[in-house]
Amino acid sequence: MAKAKDQPLEPSLYQQIYQMVSLIPQGRVASYGQIARLIGLPRNARQVGYALAVLPEEHEIPWHRVVNIKGEISARSKAGYEDYQRILLEDEGIEFSPAGRIYLKQFLWDA
DNA sequence: ATGGAGGCGCACA
DNA sequence: CTGTGCGCCTCCA
């Protein structure tokens, strides 16, 4: 695409991530890598996590529906949110295995 | 400019 | 199942 400097004709990387995450339907989860792939950046799973880590306080983004490829809730910088995330997910009907992992086969978002 | 760090992913042992 | 190592790419100080 022709772009003068790097004037983003497209939303910034984070904006794309946020938008994609907001598309995850209720009762479903997606992995970081999956989100990255969906926006055409298969090697940016980490950026997805980073983007969510710096989410502004006010947003409509279902960040809790994003977990790692194993179906478990990743540890993050700020404590407390892990339990919160699990509660939000269970509240949507997502089930966890005894080991604390989501049954991806059943709940992974089929984009 | 450079280096460190980050809610990851995957291959191996 | 767990632990370790390495690759990937961007953001921030």
Side-chain angles (χ1 to χ4, degrees):
Chain A
M1 307 275 263
K3 45 208 170 166
K5 300 291 179 168
D6 70 352
Q7 195 52 211
L9 294 175
E10 320 167 51
S12 71
L13 174 58
Y14 286 12
Q15 286 303 306
Q16 293 182 63
I17 291 173
Y18 297 148
Q19 184 172 335
M20 188 57 68
V21 172
S22 68
L23 295 181
I24 301 173
Q26 181 177 51
R28 285 265 131 114
V29 297
S31 77
Y32 298 93
Q34 180 181 11
I35 296 300
R37 245 173 294 141
L38 288 173
I39 60 178
L41 299 169
R43 280 8 195 229
N44 288 55
R46 262 182 146 149
Q47 267 37 249
V48 176
Y50 198 89
L52 295 179
V54 298
L55 263 179
E57 298 175 27
E58 301 248 334
H59 58 71
E60 300 291 310
I61 302 171
W63 56 273
H64 59 279
R65 296 185 188 138
V66 185
V67 295
N68 65 32
I69 193 64
K70 291 185 247 173
E72 46 190 24
I73 296 172
S74 300
R76 76 255 276 122
S77 309
K78 316 219 172 209
Y81 280 74
E82 291 149 49
D83 294 321
Y84 178 43
Q85 179 170 9
R86 172 162 179 159
I87 292 173
L88 288 175
L89 291 174
E90 294 184 315
D91 197 54
E92 293 187 354
I94 290 175
E95 298 165 33
F96 287 72
S97 74
R101 289 169 29 188
I102 297 169
Y103 296 110
L104 291 183
K105 195 131 187 187
Q106 185 179 347
F107 299 104
L108 185 64
W109 178 32
D110 176 36

